Amino acid sequence: MGTMEDVVQLLAEDGTLRNHEVYSTYLEDLDDAALRDLYRHMALERRFDAEATSLQRQGQLALWAPALGQEAAQTGTIAALKPTDRVFPTYREHAMALYRGISPEELIGTFRAARHSGWDPEDYHFNTYSVVLAAQTLHAAGWAMGIAQDLRTGSLPPQKAEDELVLACFGDGASSQGDIHESMVFASSYQLPMLYFIQNNHWAISVPSSTQSRFPLANRASGYGFEGVRVDGNDVLASYAVARHSAQQIRSGEGPKLIESVTYRMGAHTTADDPTKYRTSEEIDAWTAKDPVARYKTWLQNEGKADEAYFDTVDQEATELAADLRHTVHTMEGIDIDRVFDTVYAEPHRQVETEKAWLKDYEAGFAEEEGQ
Amino acid sequence: MSQIFKLPDVGEGLTEAEIVSWRVAVGDTVEVNDIICEIETAKSLVELPVPYAGTVDELVAAEGQTIEVGQPLIRIAGADQPAGADQPADDAAAPAAEEAPAQTETAQTESAQKEAAETEPTETESAETEPAKQQSQSSAAENSEENQALVGSGPKADSAKHRRRLRSTAPDLVDVSDLGIEDHGRPQPERSGAGAAESIAQASPPVRALAKRLGVAAGELVGSGRGGQVTRDDVERRAREKQAQREAGKSPDSGPPAPESRAAQPQEAGLLRSGPREENVEVRGVRKATALNVADSASTVPHVSVFKEIDVTATMTLRQVLKNDPAYQDLSVSPMLFAAKAIMWAARRHPQVNASWHETHYTLHNYVNLGVAAATPRGLVVPVIHDAQIYNTLGLAAALTQLTADARDGRTTAAEMQGGTVSITNVGSLGLDTGTPILPPGQAAIVALGAVRKKPWVVQGHVVPRDVMVVGGSFDHRLIDGDLAGAFISDVAAVLEQPGLLID
């Protein structure tokens, strides 16, 4: 996987800040309140994530895909973008989703199998989660081609071009999918305003990223004719700065860019997975030492950017967010099954009606038993 | 107040788990999400967080015990929980249960069980009392039918697995609705239990598609696969049977098989020949070019056709002379050769026949690019002898021979088919007497040669056998009126009757 030497890092694991001639300049735009807010978003997602994991273990969610350990990668990147930039997420972009204002109810419904999708992408410029690996990168390329066409035909004014770049999220596992290749070929050929964001969390379920690629994933970008950068995904400041830099280049019309965010999935792939079967506790310990939230908190404290009262406030907010999530899940009603059938086609359809009647008959079989 | 936490499905579709170890003991105080035990499922080792706060009242399941999803795991007394989380909802039915907060421990437990009953009916839960509950604690396994509950929003299959059914529901059917077949076998849910679909077999979508493609209806199929499922082989076998029946000259439902001797009688078969009833053939290549050309020509050029029957005995005599001439060895010496000479002779006398129409003007050609219509394996092609007027008779015979051979062998190039000014078509080679050819695009005249036949002919008052043929053709009426067409054909005819006219 290459060495970590080529990975952009501003905030070291011990919480000390180092200077980088290009990327450090972007931090100047962050005042203390903005710096604190990065922490707040990470901490809130971490608590939300833990609650969702517990809720799944308590039988309240069908599944949960924890983002534990990837808070900085996601938060730093989404914070660097404009609210109008279009995000095409995987199913693990919880920090990004919450950052954009997607509510716990909207986010959790699919994981409770109570909603087909939780939110209207137009409301947040944030597409629905894609469970199909890498498919969203094709959707993203298509969306970006739409932007490019709108610009070409004049239906989108040139000055508006800077307001919408397309963020295509995927992981080290999905990077092996053919869809990625097609997406990148189109992005490069049409010089699309796209930022490819790989969260290399080192594990594609049980397959290590070292098996997926013999050299850094960021290097693949050069094969398509654009630039790839590796960043320490557990460093929220570097994640922010690199994303800002790449976004600026994209907005100026330089075409697509790629960021490989080197991070680590501290939790299971999903709640249906048991990572102890394929990775060692030594590896977990090594990455725990690089924890993104703890590292950043240390720096905020040492620099006097935030006091204990602030952290207490965030803790309280996180507790309330978790309670809100718990309450939401417990009171969330399921899907109206009639509606599922009735929305397959615009007009009544014989086969759908047949299957609907079959299900009703099947369910009625239990009612008879109950009546005895 | 107490709450029972039942074993959830912590994976995707898991049905049971083994209690590996308890992390809490009776009397311990727990907070929401505290880890209470570790379980092992078919997939993984999982730490379970408790959804209630309070004191551990009872560990219902023992370490080493395997329990099914939905069975009681732990009882927490004095449940004191965060707002809004006091009644875990199992599904959409849960809010109804929450409307009636439990007054006592017993009622509370009952409520929780009733909630479970929304999706999993049991026979005894509504009558269950404290003693019954105690019993369930001591022998959870035996009472699992009564006590098990649906937990969480896991796959529905889990719930169905535990629910008893008294009757079956009609299986999915082979969908052949778009074959226009009466759907007597469609399910009738409102009249269920009547075995409405007994005669209809199950089939997977690809097999259904195959049946549709081969014209086999659902009712004709008997499944030989697992569980009576229709297989690909079943469909193909049935299709072969039907084909054999058709070839044997009887419809599938027309009683006893016909005697074997009749099977070979072609008039008994349903079609003109073997093969599908209708066949779509892609239009391309020469066929497409011909279609475009003749459609364009026939729809834009007003054709006028004239014919004349003539005595070509003299030409046939001359033809025999040339054939015997060693100079013409290996060359084709046909009536076409003389017709070509005749056309050029006539065109010299009638310039407006050798012309092209351009709406606002027309072009008179002071040369003849002679198109020769040729039926080839690829279709109709009209190769052109450019500047045919420069050839002497021998040269023209050689050119025609070469052109015919090239066309037959498919060697005619695109350039060789361009630029014709007048064409000739030999329908006589097809044994025909005449026809009304369509003008090639851009040309104003095409001459048709009929077959040369020995016919009775009146010569100087006597009926004698002579070589007779019909010569005629089609003309662009925008340029050429009937009198000009007649004069031209008459000149061509004159040469063919008196080839001596060709001598300068």
Side-chain angles (χ1 to χ4, degrees):
Chain A
M1 285 306 298
T3 65
M4 291 295 280
E5 284 166 19
D6 59 340
V7 175
V8 177
Q9 185 188 64
L10 299 179
L11 193 62
E13 291 161 24
D14 61 3
T16 56
L17 194 65
R18 64 180 69 166
N19 193 57
H20 188 285
E21 58 177 335
V22 176
Y23 296 114
S24 292
T25 57
Y26 292 99
L27 301 186
E28 292 164 11
D29 295 342
L30 295 171
D31 60 17
D32 286 1
L35 288 169
R36 284 194 295 269
D37 213 36
L38 290 176
Y39 172 82
R40 175 175 158 272
H41 281 288
M42 290 196 289
L44 290 179
E45 196 287 326
R46 177 164 287 194
R47 184 67 186 84
F48 182 95
D49 208 282
E51 194 68 17
T53 301
S54 290
L55 284 164
Q56 197 282 334
R57 293 294 184 233
Q58 291 158 5
Q60 298 299 327
L61 298 179
L63 188 75
W64 180 247
L68 185 66
Q70 299 174 225
E71 299 89 347
Q74 294 184 14
T75 302
T77 302
I78 194 76
L81 299 182
K82 294 184 180 183
T84 47
D85 290 332
R86 186 81 174 200
V87 180
F88 287 79
T90 69
Y91 44 78
R92 206 192 295 280
E93 263 62 85
H94 313 315
M96 288 191 180
L98 293 172
Y99 188 97
R100 279 288 174 91
I102 289 168
S103 73
E105 181 175 9
E106 290 172 317
L107 184 54
I108 213 70
T110 307
F111 292 98
R112 190 173 161 76
R115 300 286 184 276
H116 282 149
S117 71
W119 61 89
D120 183 346
E122 299 308 311
D123 291 345
Y124 306 102
H125 299 276
F126 197 96
N127 254 43
T128 51
Y129 277 172
S130 171
V131 178
V132 180
L133 291 180
Q136 72 279 2
T137 62
L138 291 175
H139 308 158
W143 189 270
M145 286 181 77
I147 295 172
Q149 287 289 68
D150 281 348
L151 287 170
R152 197 174 63 80
T153 59
S155 31
L156 193 68
Q159 62 269 26
K160 282 280 187 185
E162 294 198 348
D163 291 340
E164 188 173 2
L165 65 77
V166 177
L167 183 74
C169 302
F170 59 105
D172 47 298
S175 73
S176 297
Q177 296 261 327
D179 288 6
I180 300 288
H181 172 68
E182 295 172 31
S183 177
M184 289 187 175
V185 165
F186 274 82
S188 181
S189 296
Y190 289 90
Q191 287 293 287
L192 300 177
M194 291 185 68
L195 177 54
Y196 288 99
F197 182 59
I198 306 178
Q199 287 169 77
N200 179 354
N201 68 16
H202 284 80
W203 289 96
I205 308 187
S206 57
V207 179
S209 52
S210 56
T211 301
Q212 304 266 345
S213 182
R214 297 290 172 192
F215 66 158
L217 293 170
N219 295 16
R220 291 190 183 172
S222 65
Y224 296 96
F226 53 90
E227 189 186 351
V229 183
R230 301 186 87 200
V231 62
D232 180 356
N234 285 15
D235 173 358
V236 68
L237 294 178
S239 294
Y240 172 85
V242 169
R244 272 284 303 276
H245 182 69
S246 295
Q248 193 174 57
Q249 292 175 310
I250 294 166
R251 287 187 217 286
S252 67
E254 289 189 23
K257 301 287 171 187
L258 182 148
I259 295 174
E260 179 190 355
S261 182
V262 182
T263 180
Y264 193 78
R265 192 194 77 209
M266 294 297 290
H269 167 70
T270 70
T271 47
D273 167 49
D274 180 1
T276 63
K277 287 181 176 174
Y278 52 79
R279 61 187 190 187
T280 64
S281 55
E282 288 78 16
E283 182 178 312
I284 307 289
D285 292 344
W287 280 96
T288 302
K290 302 175 185 176
D291 185 80
V293 181
R295 183 195 307 190
Y296 190 55
K297 185 177 181 179
T298 301
W299 180 75
L300 287 176
Q301 287 171 322
N302 292 347
E303 294 294 311
K305 305 281 187 188
D307 56 17
E308 285 310 307
Y310 176 78
F311 294 118
D312 290 345
T313 308
V314 172
D315 282 350
Q316 182 57 34
E317 189 181 356
T319 303
E320 287 165 11
L321 177 65
D324 182 24
L325 173 64
R326 177 163 289 265
H327 177 77
T328 296
V329 165
H330 281 290
T331 55
M332 183 177 281
E333 297 190 15
I335 300 173
D336 174 13
I337 197 69
D338 277 357
R339 190 164 178 275
V340 174
F341 283 108
D342 294 344
T343 51
V344 174
Y345 293 105
E347 292 174 356
H349 188 279
R350 193 184 199 172
Q351 186 179 353
V352 172
E353 291 304 315
T354 302
E355 291 173 359
K356 185 176 168 183
W358 184 93
L359 183 68
K360 283 195 187 304
D361 185 51
Y362 180 78
E363 297 286 357
F366 297 110
E368 283 174 19
E369 180 185 38
E370 208 168 25
Q372 285 182 349
Chain B
M1 292 169 73
S2 77
Q3 297 281 359
I4 289 180
F5 177 37
K6 304 178 189 94
L7 180 67
D9 172 10
V10 297
E12 292 176 275
L14 297 175
T15 58
E16 61 179 25
E18 179 189 339
I19 312 301
V20 176
S21 63
W22 282 106
R23 302 284 180 80
V24 293
V26 173
D28 283 358
T29 301
V30 293
E31 296 295 325
V32 171
N33 291 341
D34 279 356
I35 301 300
I36 51 164
C37 67
E38 188 175 39
I39 62 171
E40 181 162 21
T41 71
K43 282 185 172 177
S44 56
L45 274 175
V46 173
E47 291 180 327
L48 282 189
V50 69
Y52 311 109
T55 307
V56 177
D57 196 26
E58 183 198 359
L59 304 180
V60 181
E63 284 186 4
Q65 189 183 347
T66 297
I67 65 173
E68 288 187 32
V69 168
Q71 284 190 277
L73 201 58
I74 190 172
R75 179 193 306 280
I76 308 294
D80 183 22
Q81 302 146 51
D86 52 343
Q87 286 280 349
D90 284 337
D91 60 14
E98 286 188 343
E99 285 169 14
Q103 302 291 320
T104 67
E105 184 181 307
T106 306
Q108 180 80 2
T109 307
E110 223 175 82
S111 170
Q113 287 172 337
K114 184 174 286 174
E115 183 184 300
E118 298 286 343
T119 49
E120 183 172 2
T122 66
E123 292 172 12
T124 61
E125 95 284 357
S126 59
E128 191 171 19
T129 56
E130 191 65 28
K133 214 174 59 193
Q134 298 290 355
Q135 186 190 358
S136 76
Q137 289 166 15
S138 55
S139 56
E142 291 92 322
N143 282 334
S144 61
E145 282 288 309
E146 284 74 28
N147 279 326
Q148 64 190 220
L150 264 184
V151 177
S153 50
K156 270 285 186 187
D158 281 355
S159 56
K161 174 177 174 288
H162 297 293
R163 299 161 75 191
R164 281 201 222 105
R165 286 185 60 79
L166 292 183
R167 59 180 171 78
S168 64
T169 296
D172 190 12
L173 305 171
V174 178
D175 185 2
V176 291
S177 51
D178 45 353
L179 277 180
I181 290 165
E182 266 194 41
D183 52 345
H184 56 274
R186 304 298 291 189
Q188 306 285 338
E190 63 277 11
R191 297 187 288 107
S192 61
E198 270 173 9
S199 63
I200 306 299
Q202 278 186 301
S204 67
V207 173
R208 281 185 238 176
L210 178 68
K212 199 179 295 181
R213 201 160 60 243
L214 297 180
V216 177
E220 302 177 51
L221 291 165
V222 178
S224 67
R226 198 155 46 93
Q229 197 163 38
V230 174
T231 66
R232 199 166 273 276
D233 285 344
D234 295 333
V235 174
E236 286 170 347
R237 192 181 313 114
R238 180 59 194 155
R240 280 197 301 272
E241 284 170 13
K242 292 182 76 171
Q243 177 70 19
Q245 284 165 345
R246 275 194 295 271
E247 283 168 5
K250 75 175 191 63
S251 76
D253 302 310
S254 63
E260 264 184 14
S261 58
R262 300 183 58 195
Q265 294 179 2
Q267 64 267 36
E268 290 286 319
L271 296 171
L272 295 171
R273 53 185 159 75
S274 65
R277 188 171 185 82
E278 307 281 2
E279 187 179 7
N280 291 329
V281 180
E282 195 185 351
V283 177
R284 55 183 183 178
V286 174
R287 179 80 264 144
K288 189 172 183 178
T290 301
L292 290 172
N293 284 342
V294 299
D296 183 47
S297 177
S299 62
T300 58
V301 180
H303 284 60
V304 59
S305 298
V306 296
F307 312 101
K308 186 179 174 84
E309 192 174 33
I310 53 173
D311 173 5
V312 294
T313 307
T315 292
M316 297 312 279
T317 304
L318 177 58
R319 174 185 182 234
Q320 197 56 48
V321 171
L322 294 186
K323 281 183 83 127
N324 294 337
D325 183 338
Y328 286 84
Q329 194 180 359
D330 298 330
L331 296 182
S332 166
V333 185
S334 67
M336 174 94 79
L337 171 63
F338 303 98
K341 295 292 284 186
I343 285 167
M344 284 182 279
W345 189 82
R348 196 171 282 127
R349 293 157 64 104
H350 307 286
Q352 194 150 329
V353 171
N354 184 25
S356 300
W357 179 260
H358 300 295
E359 301 300 333
T360 57
H361 66 280
Y362 57 88
T363 306
L364 300 174
H365 306 299
N366 198 9
Y367 57 87
V368 170
N369 284 351
L370 184 69
V372 180
T376 73
R378 294 162 61 211
L380 174 68
V381 295
V382 189
V384 174
I385 298 174
H386 292 265
D387 284 311
Q389 76 282 354
I390 66 173
Y391 294 91
N392 62 19
T393 306
L394 179 63
L396 194 60
L400 277 169
T401 303
Q402 184 67 43
L403 171 145
T404 308
D406 285 351
R408 189 178 55 235
D409 298 343
R411 290 198 303 268
T412 308
T413 65
E416 286 169 340
M417 287 189 277
Q418 303 297 315
T421 59
V422 178
S423 286
I424 184 168
T425 177
N426 185 10
V427 300
S429 67
L430 307 173
L432 303 175
D433 294 322
T434 190
T436 55
I438 303 292
L439 288 159
Q443 300 182 29
I446 179 168
V447 173
L449 302 178
V452 178
R453 303 180 190 284
K454 283 283 187 201
K455 275 190 173 183
W457 198 258
V458 178
V459 180
Q460 294 173 343
H462 299 282
V463 177
V464 293
R466 301 289 283 184
D467 290 316
V468 176
M469 74 179 285
V470 176
V471 62
S474 296
F475 301 86
D476 185 343
H477 209 328
R478 295 172 301 184
L479 270 174
I480 301 159
D481 297 331
D483 62 339
L484 179 55
F488 178 78
I489 285 299
S490 291
D491 277 354
V492 171
V495 171
L496 290 172
E497 289 193 303
Q498 299 291 338
L501 291 172
L502 291 172
I503 297 170
D504 291 325

